[in-house]
Amino acid sequence: MKRAPSGISPVIAVSKEAAKSLYKQVYEGYRQAIVDGNLRPGQRVPSTRVLAEELGISRIPVMSAYAQLLAEGYLESRIGSGTVVSTSLANRGAAPQARSNSPAAFAPNRRKLSKRCGSLPSAEGFFRRRSLLPFSVSQIAFEHFPLQIWNSLVTRHSRSASARSFDYGDPMGSRDLREVIASYLRTARGVRCEAEQIVIVSGSQLALEISARVLLDPGDRVWMEEPGYGFARGIFAMNGCQMVPAPVDAEGLDVASGVKRCPEARAVLVTPSHQYPLGVIMSASRRLQLLDWAERHGAWVIEDDYDSEYRYEGMPITSLQGLDRNRRVVYIGTFSKVLFPSLRIGYVVVPADLVERFLSVRFAMDLGPPTLPQMVLADFIREGHFSRHIRRMRLIYGERRSTLMQCIREQLGTEAEVPGGQTGLHLSVLVNGISDVEIAARAANQNLSLAPLSPSYMGKASRQGFVLGFGSTAVQDIAAAVRKLSSLLKSSS
Ligand SMILES: Cc1ncc(COP(=O)(O)O)c(C=O)c1O
C-alpha cells in the first residue's frame, strides 16, 4: 500500500457558531474525507492535540470524534505510529471521487481546450516504456558514474548551506556554473561565449521552448531535420509554428532542399555534431551554406548539441555556433548524456544582443533553476571530475560502440547500413523492406529495446531501421542482443 504523507490535517470545516456540536463536525468531516478518498487507508492522521490546535478548539471534542471513528472502524490505532485510517477499507474498491473523475463522466464538447495542445505527441507511456534493456536509447552507464565524488559534493554543499542558498537564485542560473560551462564550451566545443550569454535551464527541452518563444511567432515556419528528434516537435507545435521537414543525407541537413521547400523559414533546428537519429555529422560545406542562408534570410539557427562530448574517431567536431559571425545561432547543450538525465540541467548560449529577451521569457515561465544541483555541478566541473569522467567514459562507451559495430557487421552483414556512429551513445541501423514498428513491438516481448526509426519522420518514412542505444548495454551483452535483432529481422522477411 502506498504511504501518504503522515500527520497532515484534512480540510474540514469546523465552526464554533454552528448549531452542530464541535464533536459531530469533526466526526462527520473525517468520515466524509475517508469516504471520498481524500484520506486513504493506512494514512496517518494528526494527533488529537495537533488537530485541536489547528482547528482552534479544545481537545475534548476531537478526542470524542476520534473515539467514535475508531469504534466504527474508520480509524485504527497502531502502536508506535499513532492513529491511521483503517487499512481494512483498502478492499472496498476505488474511492467514489476517483470513479467520478473518469473521462466518461464529462461531456467533452463542454470542455474546450487549446487546439495547439491537441496536436502534441502523447507523453503517455514514455516513462513506463523506459528500461535498461539492451539498446535502450538515452541511457547511460550508471555503474561507472563517480557516485562517491558526486555524493561528497552534495554533502559539502548541503552542510554549508546559508540563508542565501535557500532564497531564489539568479534566474540566469548560478554565476559560478555559467563561468565553468563557458570555459568548457570555449575550449572543448569551440563555442564563442561568455558566462553572461549562458542561461541555465532544466534540459534541452526547456531551452528549446524558451528559444521558440523568443524567436518565433505563431504561423512562422521552421525547418526540422527529416528524420529528426521527435520531442522537439511538441515545442514548435505548442508555439503554433509550422514545421517544414528538411531531408538529412550523409552530410547532414540538406540545405538546398530546405531552401527549395521553404526559403522564407524563420528558423531551423539542427543537430550538426551528431544528427539525431541517423548519427551523421554535418559537413563543413553544409554548415557554411546553412549559416549563409540564415544570414541572408534573417533566420535563426537553433543548434542542439546533446551528446558530442563522446567522440570515438578523430577530434571532437566543433560547434556550428563557433563558425557563425553574425550572431544567428542559439546553441543548446545538456548534461543528460554526458552525466545523467535525471540531473535535468542544460544550458542555452544566447547571442549577446538577445540575452535580455531570453531572460525575460525564461523568467516569465520559470523563476530560475534549483540552486543545490548547480553548486554541486559547478564544483564537479571546476575540480576536474567532469573532464576525468568524460575521458574515462569515452573509453568505456568506445568499447561498447566498436563491439556493437563489429557485431552488426558480422551478424547483419550487408543487410544493414550504419550511417554514422562516431559520436554519442547511440547509432542507427537502417534495414530495407521491414516494418520497424512491428519488429520493435516483438523485440519488447523478448527483452530487447529497439527504438523504431520511422516515427522520427514527420512525413512518410523513406527508411526503416532502429536507433540502438549502447550507453547502458555492457560489452558482454551486445553480441547476444544483436543476434536477437538478427533473428527478429530474419523471421520478419
Ligand atoms: C536530439 C536530442 N536532444 C536533446 C536531448 C536531451 O534532452 P534533455 O536535455 O531535455 O534531457 C536528447 C536526449 O535524448 C536528444 O536525443
Side-chain angles (χ1 to χ4, degrees):
M1 187 183 305
K2 256 196 233 154
R3 288 194 70 88
S6 62
I8 295 177
S9 308
V11 184
I12 51 172
V14 170
S15 162
K16 286 181 189 158
E17 273 77 55
K20 222 181 260 178
S21 70
L22 287 170
Y23 143 74
K24 195 116 190 160
Q25 291 180 56
V26 174
Y27 162 77
E28 285 180 0
Y30 261 75
R31 195 184 55 178
Q32 201 57 48
I34 293 168
V35 169
D36 287 348
N38 295 342
L39 282 174
R40 298 285 166 99
Q43 183 173 342
R44 200 169 132 199
V45 295
S47 69
T48 51
R49 185 185 53 77
V50 167
L51 186 62
E53 256 170 42
E54 286 188 5
L55 296 175
I57 60 178
S58 106
R59 205 171 157 192
I60 294 164
V62 176
M63 286 166 68
S64 312
Y66 271 33
Q68 186 64 26
L69 290 160
L70 280 162
E72 291 180 14
Y74 289 103
L75 298 181
E76 66 190 35
S77 284
R78 287 231 188 119
I79 297 161
S81 57
T83 305
V84 301
V85 176
S86 266
T87 44
S88 59
L89 295 172
N91 305 326
R92 72 192 176 120
Q97 190 177 352
R99 266 185 264 128
S100 68
N101 267 340
S102 72
F106 300 100
N109 58 348
R110 291 180 45 79
R111 304 176 67 74
K112 293 265 183 268
L113 302 173
S114 96
K115 288 194 186 72
R116 277 183 288 183
C117 294
S119 62
L120 289 181
S122 167
E124 203 264 320
F126 163 72
F127 180 65
R128 195 165 26 82
R129 275 195 307 273
R130 284 187 70 72
S131 70
L132 290 169
L133 294 175
F135 301 150
S136 295
V137 179
S138 300
Q139 294 287 11
I140 57 143
F142 169 75
E143 71 280 15
H144 292 287
F145 186 75
L147 205 54
Q148 256 186 336
I149 294 170
W150 187 265
N151 286 345
S152 72
L153 296 175
V154 170
T155 308
R156 179 197 295 172
H157 285 285
S158 306
R159 285 213 175 114
S160 63
S162 61
R164 192 78 192 87
S165 59
F166 275 70
D167 193 11
Y168 288 110
D170 185 335
M172 294 278 283
S174 113
R175 175 83 205 185
D176 244 18
L177 179 59
R178 289 186 288 120
E179 292 282 1
V180 291
I181 290 177
S183 158
Y184 162 69
L185 291 178
R186 284 190 299 261
T187 317
R189 308 289 312 115
V191 175
R192 295 145 68 88
C193 68
E194 300 300 329
E196 292 74 16
Q197 291 168 259
I198 294 182
V199 184
I200 306 291
V201 289
S202 65
S204 317
Q205 206 65 11
L206 181 59
L208 273 174
E209 175 64 37
I210 299 171
S211 305
R213 288 186 189 220
V214 172
L215 306 174
L216 300 165
D217 285 313
D220 281 347
R221 279 177 274 191
V222 184
W223 289 357
M224 303 292 281
E225 291 173 321
E226 177 83 332
Y229 181 48
F231 290 169
R233 289 181 213 144
I235 305 281
F236 296 106
M238 264 196 302
N239 284 282
C241 299
Q242 284 182 43
M243 287 169 269
V244 179
V248 173
D249 61 19
E251 286 189 68
L253 184 140
D254 181 351
V255 181
S257 282
V259 171
K260 213 184 268 169
R261 287 174 190 208
C262 182
E264 72 286 3
R266 276 282 302 280
V268 54
L269 173 65
V270 265
T271 48
S273 299
H274 186 218
Q275 203 276 332
Y276 191 90
L278 294 182
V280 296
I281 294 164
M282 194 178 203
S283 69
S285 78
R286 290 275 175 85
R287 286 170 191 245
L288 295 171
Q289 281 173 39
L290 188 67
L291 293 174
D292 181 56
W293 164 78
E295 177 56 12
R296 280 192 290 113
H297 287 82
W300 301 107
V301 177
I302 305 173
E303 176 176 13
D304 179 5
D305 193 11
Y306 61 101
D307 73 351
S308 51
E309 290 84 1
Y310 296 124
R311 178 154 165 80
Y312 311 108
E313 287 172 11
M315 292 291 289
I317 304 294
T318 52
S319 64
L320 184 60
Q321 194 264 14
L323 271 182
D324 173 34
R325 296 291 172 270
N326 300 301
R327 297 182 170 186
R328 285 272 156 214
V329 179
V330 169
Y331 175 91
I332 293 175
T334 177
F335 289 96
S336 288
K337 301 284 175 109
V338 70
L339 293 180
F340 54 98
S342 69
L343 181 59
R344 304 313 300 141
I345 296 186
Y347 46 87
V348 202
V349 180
V350 178
D353 55 323
L354 307 187
V355 169
E356 235 180 271
R357 273 301 166 88
F358 268 77
L359 183 57
S360 37
V361 167
R362 188 271 147 68
F363 195 63
M365 294 170 66
D366 168 24
L367 302 190
T371 306
L372 178 66
Q374 292 186 80
M375 298 197 289
V376 171
L377 180 55
D379 278 359
F380 189 79
I381 301 174
R382 195 178 16 239
E383 294 176 9
H385 309 300
F386 183 62
S387 52
R388 246 188 318 278
H389 180 63
I390 294 178
R391 278 197 300 276
R392 213 163 68 82
M393 295 313 293
R394 203 175 275 142
L395 296 177
I396 292 167
Y397 290 137
E399 195 190 355
R400 293 179 181 194
R401 171 234 167 222
S402 57
T403 309
L404 178 56
M405 294 284 256
Q406 193 187 335
C407 290
I408 290 172
R409 261 195 310 274
E410 286 170 5
Q411 295 184 40
L412 304 185
T414 49
E415 239 182 292
E417 183 192 336
V418 178
Q422 297 104 335
T423 307
L425 303 185
H426 75 267
L427 49 82
S428 280
V429 240
L430 310 181
V431 188
N432 289 327
I434 56 160
S435 164
D436 53 12
V437 173
E438 249 173 53
I439 293 176
R442 280 200 282 130
N445 295 329
Q446 297 182 24
N447 288 337
L448 185 66
S449 170
L450 295 179
L453 182 72
S454 54
S456 301
Y457 287 82
M458 291 171 63
K460 187 173 178 317
S462 61
R463 300 301 306 262
Q464 303 269 321
F466 305 98
V467 184
L468 305 183
F470 52 83
S472 65
T473 312
V475 166
Q476 64 271 22
D477 298 331
I478 291 176
V482 177
R483 263 198 304 278
K484 244 185 220 177
L485 168 58
S486 170
S487 66
L488 280 161
L489 288 173
K490 282 192 185 116
S491 65
S492 78
S493 58

Short mmCIF file of all heavy atoms in Angstrom, two decimals, residues 139-187:
data_model
loop_
_atom_site.label_atom_id
_atom_site.label_comp_id
_atom_site.label_asym_id
_atom_site.label_seq_id
_atom_site.Cartn_x
_atom_site.Cartn_y
_atom_site.Cartn_z
N GLN A 139 20.15 6.06 -22.32
CA GLN A 139 20.54 5.54 -21.01
C GLN A 139 22.05 5.62 -20.91
O GLN A 139 22.75 5.49 -21.91
CB GLN A 139 20.10 4.07 -20.84
CG GLN A 139 18.60 3.88 -20.80
CD GLN A 139 17.97 4.35 -19.50
OE1 GLN A 139 18.62 5.03 -18.68
NE2 GLN A 139 16.72 4.04 -19.29
N ILE A 140 22.53 5.82 -19.70
CA ILE A 140 23.98 5.95 -19.50
C ILE A 140 24.51 4.73 -18.75
O ILE A 140 23.73 3.95 -18.20
CB ILE A 140 24.31 7.23 -18.71
CG1 ILE A 140 23.57 7.20 -17.36
CG2 ILE A 140 23.94 8.47 -19.49
CD1 ILE A 140 24.35 7.76 -16.25
N ALA A 141 25.82 4.63 -18.68
CA ALA A 141 26.44 3.55 -17.90
C ALA A 141 26.46 3.99 -16.45
O ALA A 141 27.49 4.47 -15.93
CB ALA A 141 27.84 3.26 -18.42
N PHE A 142 25.33 3.84 -15.80
CA PHE A 142 25.17 4.34 -14.44
C PHE A 142 26.23 3.78 -13.50
O PHE A 142 26.74 4.46 -12.62
CB PHE A 142 23.76 3.96 -13.94
CG PHE A 142 23.56 4.19 -12.48
CD1 PHE A 142 23.40 5.48 -12.00
CD2 PHE A 142 23.56 3.13 -11.58
CE1 PHE A 142 23.24 5.70 -10.63
CE2 PHE A 142 23.40 3.35 -10.22
CZ PHE A 142 23.24 4.65 -9.75
N GLU A 143 26.58 2.49 -13.72
CA GLU A 143 27.52 1.82 -12.80
C GLU A 143 28.90 2.46 -12.82
O GLU A 143 29.70 2.24 -11.93
CB GLU A 143 27.58 0.31 -13.11
CG GLU A 143 28.28 -0.10 -14.41
CD GLU A 143 27.40 0.06 -15.66
OE1 GLU A 143 26.36 0.73 -15.60
OE2 GLU A 143 27.78 -0.48 -16.72
N HIS A 144 29.20 3.26 -13.85
CA HIS A 144 30.51 3.90 -13.92
C HIS A 144 30.47 5.36 -13.49
O HIS A 144 31.46 6.07 -13.63
CB HIS A 144 31.07 3.80 -15.35
CG HIS A 144 31.42 2.40 -15.74
ND1 HIS A 144 32.52 1.74 -15.23
CD2 HIS A 144 30.79 1.51 -16.55
CE1 HIS A 144 32.56 0.52 -15.73
NE2 HIS A 144 31.52 0.36 -16.52
N PHE A 145 29.33 5.81 -13.03
CA PHE A 145 29.26 7.22 -12.61
C PHE A 145 29.98 7.38 -11.27
O PHE A 145 29.80 6.57 -10.37
CB PHE A 145 27.79 7.66 -12.48
CG PHE A 145 27.70 9.14 -12.20
CD1 PHE A 145 27.92 10.05 -13.20
CD2 PHE A 145 27.46 9.60 -10.90
CE1 PHE A 145 27.88 11.42 -12.94
CE2 PHE A 145 27.42 10.96 -10.64
CZ PHE A 145 27.63 11.87 -11.66
N PRO A 146 30.81 8.42 -11.13
CA PRO A 146 31.56 8.58 -9.87
C PRO A 146 30.67 9.08 -8.74
O PRO A 146 30.75 10.23 -8.31
CB PRO A 146 32.64 9.62 -10.25
CG PRO A 146 32.08 10.36 -11.40
CD PRO A 146 31.16 9.44 -12.13
N LEU A 147 29.86 8.16 -8.26
CA LEU A 147 28.82 8.49 -7.31
C LEU A 147 29.38 9.01 -5.98
O LEU A 147 28.82 9.92 -5.37
CB LEU A 147 27.96 7.24 -7.07
CG LEU A 147 26.55 7.47 -6.62
CD1 LEU A 147 25.80 8.40 -7.56
CD2 LEU A 147 25.81 6.13 -6.55
N GLN A 148 30.50 8.43 -5.60
CA GLN A 148 31.08 8.84 -4.31
C GLN A 148 31.49 10.31 -4.33
O GLN A 148 31.23 11.06 -3.40
CB GLN A 148 32.31 8.00 -4.01
CG GLN A 148 32.01 6.94 -2.97
CD GLN A 148 33.26 6.21 -2.57
OE1 GLN A 148 34.23 6.17 -3.34
NE2 GLN A 148 33.25 5.65 -1.38
N ILE A 149 32.13 10.68 -5.42
CA ILE A 149 32.57 12.07 -5.56
C ILE A 149 31.34 12.98 -5.59
O ILE A 149 31.28 14.01 -4.91
CB ILE A 149 33.40 12.25 -6.86
CG1 ILE A 149 34.69 11.47 -6.73
CG2 ILE A 149 33.66 13.71 -7.16
CD1 ILE A 149 35.48 11.37 -8.01
N TRP A 150 30.37 12.58 -6.38
CA TRP A 150 29.15 13.39 -6.51
C TRP A 150 28.50 13.55 -5.14
O TRP A 150 28.14 14.66 -4.73
CB TRP A 150 28.19 12.71 -7.50
CG TRP A 150 26.99 13.53 -7.83
CD1 TRP A 150 25.77 13.45 -7.24
CD2 TRP A 150 26.90 14.58 -8.80
NE1 TRP A 150 24.91 14.38 -7.80
CE2 TRP A 150 25.58 15.08 -8.76
CE3 TRP A 150 27.80 15.14 -9.71
CZ2 TRP A 150 25.15 16.12 -9.59
CZ3 TRP A 150 27.36 16.17 -10.53
CH2 TRP A 150 26.05 16.65 -10.46
N ASN A 151 28.38 12.44 -4.42
CA ASN A 151 27.73 12.49 -3.10
C ASN A 151 28.51 13.36 -2.14
O ASN A 151 27.93 14.07 -1.31
CB ASN A 151 27.59 11.08 -2.52
CG ASN A 151 26.49 10.32 -3.23
OD1 ASN A 151 25.68 10.92 -3.94
ND2 ASN A 151 26.47 9.01 -3.07
N SER A 152 29.85 13.32 -2.24
CA SER A 152 30.62 14.14 -1.30
C SER A 152 30.41 15.63 -1.60
O SER A 152 30.37 16.46 -0.69
CB SER A 152 32.10 13.77 -1.31
OG SER A 152 32.68 14.22 -2.51
N LEU A 153 30.21 15.95 -2.88
CA LEU A 153 29.94 17.36 -3.22
C LEU A 153 28.54 17.77 -2.75
O LEU A 153 28.33 18.89 -2.27
CB LEU A 153 30.08 17.59 -4.72
CG LEU A 153 31.50 17.38 -5.29
CD1 LEU A 153 31.50 17.51 -6.81
CD2 LEU A 153 32.47 18.38 -4.69
N VAL A 154 27.59 16.85 -2.88
CA VAL A 154 26.23 17.14 -2.39
C VAL A 154 26.29 17.40 -0.89
O VAL A 154 25.73 18.38 -0.38
CB VAL A 154 25.26 15.96 -2.69
CG1 VAL A 154 23.92 16.16 -2.00
CG2 VAL A 154 25.05 15.82 -4.20
N THR A 155 27.03 16.54 -0.18
CA THR A 155 27.14 16.71 1.28
C THR A 155 27.81 18.03 1.61
O THR A 155 27.35 18.78 2.49
CB THR A 155 27.97 15.54 1.88
OG1 THR A 155 27.40 14.34 1.40
CG2 THR A 155 27.99 15.57 3.38
N ARG A 156 28.88 18.34 0.90
CA ARG A 156 29.60 19.60 1.16
C ARG A 156 28.65 20.78 1.04
O ARG A 156 28.59 21.64 1.92
CB ARG A 156 30.73 19.75 0.14
CG ARG A 156 31.52 21.04 0.31
CD ARG A 156 32.34 21.37 -0.93
NE ARG A 156 33.39 20.40 -1.20
CZ ARG A 156 34.12 20.40 -2.33
NH1 ARG A 156 33.92 21.31 -3.26
NH2 ARG A 156 35.06 19.50 -2.51
N HIS A 157 27.87 20.80 -0.03
CA HIS A 157 27.01 21.96 -0.23
C HIS A 157 25.79 21.95 0.67
O HIS A 157 25.28 23.01 1.04
CB HIS A 157 26.62 22.08 -1.72
CG HIS A 157 27.76 22.59 -2.54
ND1 HIS A 157 28.15 23.91 -2.52
CD2 HIS A 157 28.63 21.94 -3.35
CE1 HIS A 157 29.20 24.06 -3.31
NE2 HIS A 157 29.51 22.89 -3.82
N SER A 158 25.33 20.76 1.04
CA SER A 158 24.18 20.71 1.95
C SER A 158 24.61 21.21 3.33
O SER A 158 23.87 21.91 4.01
CB SER A 158 23.65 19.29 2.08
OG SER A 158 23.38 18.77 0.83
N ARG A 159 25.84 20.82 3.73
CA ARG A 159 26.31 21.21 5.07
C ARG A 159 26.57 22.70 5.16
O ARG A 159 26.37 23.31 6.20
CB ARG A 159 27.62 20.46 5.39
CG ARG A 159 27.38 19.02 5.72
CD ARG A 159 28.39 18.54 6.76
NE ARG A 159 28.08 17.18 7.15
CZ ARG A 159 28.87 16.15 6.90
NH1 ARG A 159 30.03 16.32 6.30
NH2 ARG A 159 28.50 14.95 7.29
N SER A 160 27.08 23.27 4.07
CA SER A 160 27.48 24.68 4.16
C SER A 160 26.37 25.61 3.67
O SER A 160 26.62 26.77 3.40
CB SER A 160 28.75 24.91 3.34
OG SER A 160 28.44 24.64 1.98
N ALA A 161 25.14 25.06 3.54
CA ALA A 161 24.05 25.89 3.02
C ALA A 161 23.84 27.12 3.91
O ALA A 161 23.89 27.02 5.14
CB ALA A 161 22.78 25.07 2.95
N SER A 162 23.62 28.26 3.28
CA SER A 162 23.41 29.51 4.02
C SER A 162 21.99 30.00 3.74
O SER A 162 21.29 29.44 2.88
CB SER A 162 24.39 30.56 3.50
OG SER A 162 24.13 30.79 2.14
N ALA A 163 21.60 31.06 4.44
CA ALA A 163 20.27 31.63 4.21
C ALA A 163 20.14 32.03 2.74
O ALA A 163 19.10 31.86 2.12
CB ALA A 163 20.06 32.84 5.10
N ARG A 164 21.22 32.52 2.16
CA ARG A 164 21.22 32.97 0.76
C ARG A 164 20.90 31.80 -0.19
O ARG A 164 20.20 31.95 -1.17
CB ARG A 164 22.61 33.56 0.44
CG ARG A 164 22.70 34.30 -0.85
CD ARG A 164 22.10 35.71 -0.71
NE ARG A 164 21.92 36.35 -2.01
CZ ARG A 164 20.83 36.20 -2.78
NH1 ARG A 164 19.84 35.43 -2.40
NH2 ARG A 164 20.74 36.83 -3.93
N SER A 165 21.45 30.63 0.18
CA SER A 165 21.25 29.50 -0.74
C SER A 165 19.83 28.93 -0.65
O SER A 165 19.45 28.09 -1.46
CB SER A 165 22.29 28.40 -0.50
OG SER A 165 22.22 27.93 0.81
N PHE A 166 19.05 29.39 0.33
CA PHE A 166 17.65 28.97 0.41
C PHE A 166 16.73 29.92 -0.36
O PHE A 166 15.55 29.65 -0.52
CB PHE A 166 17.19 28.91 1.87
CG PHE A 166 17.52 27.59 2.52
CD1 PHE A 166 18.84 27.26 2.81
CD2 PHE A 166 16.53 26.68 2.83
CE1 PHE A 166 19.16 26.05 3.39
CE2 PHE A 166 16.84 25.46 3.41
CZ PHE A 166 18.16 25.14 3.69
N ASP A 167 17.29 31.04 -0.76
CA ASP A 167 16.49 32.08 -1.44
C ASP A 167 16.42 31.76 -2.95
O ASP A 167 17.13 30.89 -3.45
CB ASP A 167 17.17 33.44 -1.22
CG ASP A 167 16.26 34.59 -1.60
OD1 ASP A 167 15.06 34.34 -1.83
OD2 ASP A 167 16.76 35.72 -1.67
N TYR A 168 15.58 32.49 -3.69
CA TYR A 168 15.61 32.39 -5.16
C TYR A 168 17.02 32.71 -5.63
O TYR A 168 17.66 33.63 -5.12
CB TYR A 168 14.66 33.41 -5.79
CG TYR A 168 13.20 33.09 -5.61
CD1 TYR A 168 12.41 33.86 -4.76
CD2 TYR A 168 12.62 32.04 -6.29
CE1 TYR A 168 11.06 33.57 -4.60
CE2 TYR A 168 11.28 31.74 -6.13
CZ TYR A 168 10.50 32.51 -5.29
OH TYR A 168 9.19 32.22 -5.14
N GLY A 169 17.47 31.96 -6.63
CA GLY A 169 18.80 32.26 -7.17
C GLY A 169 18.69 33.14 -8.40
O GLY A 169 17.59 33.59 -8.77
N ASP A 170 19.83 33.38 -9.03
CA ASP A 170 19.88 34.17 -10.26
C ASP A 170 19.05 33.45 -11.33
O ASP A 170 19.28 32.27 -11.60
CB ASP A 170 21.36 34.27 -10.70
CG ASP A 170 21.56 35.16 -11.90
OD1 ASP A 170 20.60 35.34 -12.69
OD2 ASP A 170 22.68 35.67 -12.07
N PRO A 171 18.07 34.14 -11.96
CA PRO A 171 17.25 33.46 -12.97
C PRO A 171 18.06 32.98 -14.18
O PRO A 171 17.63 32.09 -14.91
CB PRO A 171 16.21 34.50 -13.38
CG PRO A 171 16.67 35.80 -12.82
CD PRO A 171 17.62 35.51 -11.69
N MET A 172 19.24 33.56 -14.40
CA MET A 172 20.11 33.07 -15.48
C MET A 172 20.75 31.73 -15.10
O MET A 172 21.28 31.03 -15.94
CB MET A 172 21.28 34.04 -15.72
CG MET A 172 20.92 35.40 -16.23
SD MET A 172 20.69 35.39 -18.01
CE MET A 172 22.38 35.36 -18.62
N GLY A 173 20.74 31.43 -13.80
CA GLY A 173 21.49 30.28 -13.30
C GLY A 173 22.69 30.78 -12.53
O GLY A 173 23.08 31.95 -12.66
N SER A 174 23.28 29.91 -11.74
CA SER A 174 24.38 30.36 -10.87
C SER A 174 25.56 30.86 -11.71
O SER A 174 25.95 30.24 -12.70
CB SER A 174 24.80 29.21 -9.95
OG SER A 174 26.08 28.76 -10.26
N ARG A 175 26.09 31.98 -11.28
CA ARG A 175 27.21 32.61 -11.99
C ARG A 175 28.41 31.64 -12.07
O ARG A 175 29.06 31.51 -13.10
CB ARG A 175 27.60 33.89 -11.23
CG ARG A 175 28.81 34.62 -11.74
CD ARG A 175 28.43 35.51 -12.89
NE ARG A 175 29.56 35.75 -13.74
CZ ARG A 175 29.57 36.57 -14.78
NH1 ARG A 175 28.48 37.23 -15.09
NH2 ARG A 175 30.63 36.74 -15.49
N ASP A 176 28.62 30.98 -10.95
CA ASP A 176 29.72 30.02 -10.86
C ASP A 176 29.63 28.94 -11.94
O ASP A 176 30.60 28.64 -12.62
CB ASP A 176 29.56 29.28 -9.52
CG ASP A 176 30.70 29.56 -8.60
OD1 ASP A 176 31.41 30.55 -8.84
OD2 ASP A 176 30.86 28.77 -7.64
N LEU A 177 28.43 28.39 -12.05
CA LEU A 177 28.23 27.31 -13.02
C LEU A 177 28.35 27.86 -14.44
O LEU A 177 28.96 27.23 -15.31
CB LEU A 177 26.84 26.66 -12.81
CG LEU A 177 26.50 25.53 -13.77
CD1 LEU A 177 27.52 24.39 -13.70
CD2 LEU A 177 25.10 24.96 -13.50
N ARG A 178 27.81 29.04 -14.67
CA ARG A 178 27.88 29.61 -16.02
C ARG A 178 29.32 29.88 -16.42
O ARG A 178 29.70 29.69 -17.58
CB ARG A 178 27.01 30.86 -16.10
CG ARG A 178 25.53 30.51 -16.05
CD ARG A 178 24.62 31.67 -16.27
NE ARG A 178 24.57 32.58 -15.16
CZ ARG A 178 24.91 33.86 -15.21
NH1 ARG A 178 25.36 34.39 -16.34
NH2 ARG A 178 24.82 34.62 -14.14
N GLU A 179 30.14 30.30 -15.44
CA GLU A 179 31.57 30.54 -15.74
C GLU A 179 32.26 29.25 -16.17
O GLU A 179 32.97 29.24 -17.17
CB GLU A 179 32.31 31.07 -14.48
CG GLU A 179 31.92 32.46 -14.02
CD GLU A 179 32.54 33.56 -14.86
OE1 GLU A 179 33.26 33.25 -15.82
OE2 GLU A 179 32.26 34.74 -14.53
N VAL A 180 32.03 28.18 -15.42
CA VAL A 180 32.75 26.94 -15.77
C VAL A 180 32.21 26.34 -17.07
O VAL A 180 32.98 25.77 -17.85
CB VAL A 180 32.76 25.88 -14.63
CG1 VAL A 180 33.61 26.32 -13.46
CG2 VAL A 180 31.37 25.49 -14.17
N ILE A 181 30.92 26.51 -17.30
CA ILE A 181 30.36 25.99 -18.57
C ILE A 181 30.94 26.79 -19.74
O ILE A 181 31.35 26.22 -20.76
CB ILE A 181 28.82 26.02 -18.57
CG1 ILE A 181 28.27 24.98 -17.59
CG2 ILE A 181 28.26 25.78 -19.97
CD1 ILE A 181 26.75 24.98 -17.44
N ALA A 182 31.01 28.12 -19.58
CA ALA A 182 31.53 28.95 -20.67
C ALA A 182 32.97 28.54 -21.00
O ALA A 182 33.34 28.39 -22.17
CB ALA A 182 31.47 30.42 -20.28
N SER A 183 33.74 28.32 -19.96
CA SER A 183 35.13 27.97 -20.20
C SER A 183 35.23 26.60 -20.88
O SER A 183 36.01 26.41 -21.83
CB SER A 183 35.85 28.00 -18.84
OG SER A 183 36.98 27.23 -18.88
N TYR A 184 34.40 25.66 -20.43
CA TYR A 184 34.39 24.33 -21.04
C TYR A 184 33.96 24.43 -22.52
O TYR A 184 34.59 23.84 -23.40
CB TYR A 184 33.42 23.42 -20.27
CG TYR A 184 32.99 22.20 -21.02
CD1 TYR A 184 33.90 21.18 -21.29
CD2 TYR A 184 31.69 22.07 -21.51
CE1 TYR A 184 33.53 20.05 -22.01
CE2 TYR A 184 31.30 20.95 -22.24
CZ TYR A 184 32.23 19.95 -22.49
OH TYR A 184 31.85 18.85 -23.21
N LEU A 185 32.92 25.19 -22.79
CA LEU A 185 32.41 25.27 -24.17
C LEU A 185 33.40 25.94 -25.12
O LEU A 185 33.56 25.52 -26.26
CB LEU A 185 31.07 26.03 -24.20
CG LEU A 185 29.87 25.34 -23.55
CD1 LEU A 185 28.64 26.23 -23.61
CD2 LEU A 185 29.59 24.00 -24.24
N ARG A 186 34.08 26.99 -24.60
CA ARG A 186 35.08 27.66 -25.45
C ARG A 186 36.19 26.68 -25.81
O ARG A 186 36.63 26.60 -26.96
CB ARG A 186 35.67 28.87 -24.72
CG ARG A 186 34.76 30.08 -24.66
CD ARG A 186 35.52 31.30 -24.16
NE ARG A 186 36.05 31.12 -22.81
CZ ARG A 186 35.48 31.59 -21.70
NH1 ARG A 186 34.36 32.27 -21.78
NH2 ARG A 186 36.02 31.39 -20.53
N THR A 187 36.64 25.93 -24.81
CA THR A 187 37.78 25.05 -25.01
C THR A 187 37.41 23.79 -25.78
O THR A 187 38.07 23.44 -26.76
CB THR A 187 38.35 24.62 -23.63
OG1 THR A 187 38.37 25.76 -22.79
CG2 THR A 187 39.73 24.02 -23.74
#
